[in-house]
């Protein structure tokens, strides 16, 4: 069992383990074992989403570990996300209930709007026309947020947040919110350190959660000539000096910045290694050096919805 996780506190007073297991791209057939391994190793925070298509298997693993007595439900912190085709206010509750059913849970600890841009409702998760272009919906995420708030009062979710929102979009939600978002989950790693967005979020009591902290090397659209964070010689030098892996340095980097971080793996040895980051620190010089790698290098640009009026990366600096 690895050392105990660091616990962070949201602006609403709720607590969250800072280091979690990501499940994006974890295939059915692999994800259940990965979640069981993670819980056995000491992870208590599992990051899910409806669109990942694997929530049911995640739920089976959680149910099994609770039944075995390894954990109680209240020991776990489970996040899921509202997909783009369910932004219309009348669809929000049903989408949450479906995730709860998949995960076999009575409540979520955190529910996020997965992206600010809405897609055409009542069909496929990626509704496309005959040319393969994604079909948009003009639902405003502000109305989606309003539909989420009563679900917290019902006890179906403990905390609410957003994902992939830029500063202007987050501000619009904060302006109308009776219940404030506690988290903005965004891509974050040394090539995209999100300094301005983090400062913006911090000033408003919103925590940054980092996805793809290892640069998402298994993303389906990766090109062979694109730089790989895990192969970066400068990071390797830091890792070698500390007797660590590059992945451990990348995870530790986010922890030291105060960000929640959800690295994904389905390999037990890596899941274990990724959790063994609580017993070392990066020096101030290391952190400054890693900060200097920032080149606005986004690995998850969401090109499928370019042209959407609520696309988060097209028109705003951060």
């Amino acid at each position: 069992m690895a050392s105990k996780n660091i616990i962070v506190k949201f602006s609403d007073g709720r607590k969250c383990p800072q280091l979690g297991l990501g499940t994006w791209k974890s295939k059915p057939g692999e994800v259940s074992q990965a979640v069981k391994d993670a819980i056995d190793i000491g992870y208590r925070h599992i990051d899910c989403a409806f669109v990942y298509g694997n929530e049911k298997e995640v739920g089976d693993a959680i149910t099994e570990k609770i039944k075995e007595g390894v954990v109680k439900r209240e020991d776990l912190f489970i996040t899921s996300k509202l997909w783009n085709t369910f932004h219309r206010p009348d669809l929000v509750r049903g989408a949450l209930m479906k995730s709860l059913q998949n995960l076999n849970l009575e409540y979520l600890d955190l529910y996020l709007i997965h992206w600010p841009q809405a897609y055409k409702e009542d069909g496929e998760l990626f509704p496309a026309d005959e040319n393969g272009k994604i079909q948009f919906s003009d639902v405003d995420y502000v109305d989606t947020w309003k539909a989420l708030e009563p679900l917290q009062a019902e006890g179906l979710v403990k905390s609410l947040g957003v994902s992939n929102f830029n500063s202007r979009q987050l501000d619009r939600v904060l302006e109308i919110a009776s219940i404030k978002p506690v988290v903005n989950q965004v891509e974050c790693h040394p090539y995209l350190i999100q300094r301005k967005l983090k400062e913006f979020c911090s000033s408003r009591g919103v925590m940054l959660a980092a996805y793809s902290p290892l640069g998402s090397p298994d993303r389906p659209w990766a090109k062979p000539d694109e730089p790989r964070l895990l192969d970066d010689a400068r990071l390797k030098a830091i890792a070698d000096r500390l007797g660590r892996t590059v992945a451990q340095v990348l995870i530790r980097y986010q922890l030291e910045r105060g960000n929640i971080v959800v690295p994904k793996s389905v390999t037990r040895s890596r899941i274990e290694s990724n959790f063994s980051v609580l017993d070392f620190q990066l020096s101030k010089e290391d952190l400054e050096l890693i900060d200097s790698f920032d080149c606005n290098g986004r690995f998850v640009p969401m090109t499928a919805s370019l042209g959407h009026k609520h696309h988060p990366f097209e028109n705003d600096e951060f």
Side-chain angles (χ1 to χ4, degrees), residues 65-83:
K65 285 296 154 190
I66 291 173
K67 206 152 69 185
E68 283 174 16
V70 179
V71 284
K72 297 194 204 56
R73 168 62 185 100
E74 55 270 26
D75 299 332
L76 295 171
F77 189 98
I78 312 296
T79 301
S80 189
K81 308 179 191 85
L82 177 78
W83 183 240

Side-chain angles (χ1 to χ4, degrees), residues 41-113:
I41 286 160
Y43 286 78
R44 294 295 176 258
H45 176 176
I46 314 290
D47 182 76
C48 316
F50 181 76
V51 78
Y52 300 167
N54 57 14
E55 279 187 332
K56 194 161 179 349
E57 283 200 44
V58 173
D60 291 345
I62 291 168
T63 301
E64 196 173 314
K65 285 296 154 190
I66 291 173
K67 206 152 69 185
E68 283 174 16
V70 179
V71 284
K72 297 194 204 56
R73 168 62 185 100
E74 55 270 26
D75 299 332
L76 295 171
F77 189 98
I78 312 296
T79 301
S80 189
K81 308 179 191 85
L82 177 78
W83 183 240
N84 305 358
T85 50
F86 306 110
H87 279 209
R88 209 173 66 210
D90 62 300
L91 299 175
V92 169
R93 190 177 191 280
L96 170 63
M97 296 312 287
K98 186 70 187 151
S99 280
L100 287 172
Q101 185 191 342
N102 285 341
L103 292 161
N104 193 24
L105 297 174
E106 289 177 9
Y107 67 89
L108 289 174
D109 296 277
L110 180 62
Y111 197 43
L112 310 176
I113 300 180

Side-chain angles (χ1 to χ4, degrees), residues 143-202:
D143 298 323
T144 309
W145 185 266
K146 278 296 191 190
L148 280 172
E149 293 185 330
L151 305 177
Q152 191 188 47
E154 272 190 71
L156 297 171
V157 292
K158 301 287 189 194
S159 297
L160 294 169
V162 296
S163 179
N164 299 298
F165 275 52
N166 66 36
S167 56
R168 183 180 52 80
Q169 293 168 331
L170 182 58
D171 236 7
R172 284 191 69 222
V173 172
L174 286 165
E175 272 168 27
I176 58 93
S178 317
I179 296 167
K180 305 282 188 211
V182 296
V183 163
N184 187 11
Q185 187 183 114
V186 296
E187 179 182 351
C188 189
H189 46 72
Y191 297 162
L192 184 71
I193 68 171
Q194 301 278 20
R195 189 197 309 270
K196 285 182 175 170
L197 185 59
K198 179 176 169 60
E199 283 169 6
F200 180 90
C201 288
S202 297

Side-chain angles (χ1 to χ4, degrees), residues 111-286:
Y111 197 43
L112 310 176
I113 300 180
H114 204 150
W115 289 88
Q117 68 274 23
Y119 290 172
K120 183 172 174 287
E121 303 80 9
D122 308 317
E124 302 292 314
L125 295 180
F126 292 88
D129 63 15
E130 58 280 7
N131 301 317
K133 181 161 172 31
I134 292 281
Q135 298 292 279
F136 301 156
S137 160
D138 62 0
V139 176
D140 191 325
Y141 52 82
V142 161
D143 298 323
T144 309
W145 185 266
K146 278 296 191 190
L148 280 172
E149 293 185 330
L151 305 177
Q152 191 188 47
E154 272 190 71
L156 297 171
V157 292
K158 301 287 189 194
S159 297
L160 294 169
V162 296
S163 179
N164 299 298
F165 275 52
N166 66 36
S167 56
R168 183 180 52 80
Q169 293 168 331
L170 182 58
D171 236 7
R172 284 191 69 222
V173 172
L174 286 165
E175 272 168 27
I176 58 93
S178 317
I179 296 167
K180 305 282 188 211
V182 296
V183 163
N184 187 11
Q185 187 183 114
V186 296
E187 179 182 351
C188 189
H189 46 72
Y191 297 162
L192 184 71
I193 68 171
Q194 301 278 20
R195 189 197 309 270
K196 285 182 175 170
L197 185 59
K198 179 176 169 60
E199 283 169 6
F200 180 90
C201 288
S202 297
S203 71
R204 283 154 179 80
V206 177
M207 281 202 76
L208 202 73
Y211 74 74
S212 298
L214 312 180
S216 199
D218 57 347
R219 65 194 182 282
W221 53 86
K223 297 185 179 68
D225 57 340
E226 283 180 310
R228 280 170 55 96
L229 256 180
L230 292 169
D231 297 335
D232 192 302
R234 302 163 299 180
L235 288 166
K236 278 186 167 166
I238 294 172
D240 290 348
R241 195 184 77 241
L242 294 168
R244 297 286 171 168
T245 66
V246 172
Q248 286 174 325
V249 168
L250 289 168
I251 295 163
R252 187 71 217 178
Y253 171 69
Q254 297 297 345
L255 294 176
E256 301 220 4
R257 297 180 72 208
N259 294 337
I260 294 164
V261 58
V262 288
K264 167 255 166 184
S265 179
V266 291
T267 314
R268 186 184 170 106
S269 58
R270 286 205 194 122
I271 292 169
E272 195 154 19
S273 170
N274 289 350
F275 199 69
S276 304
V277 292
L278 306 173
D279 56 352
F280 79 100
Q281 284 186 307
L282 296 169
S283 68
K284 186 167 169 286
E285 291 72 25
D286 287 336

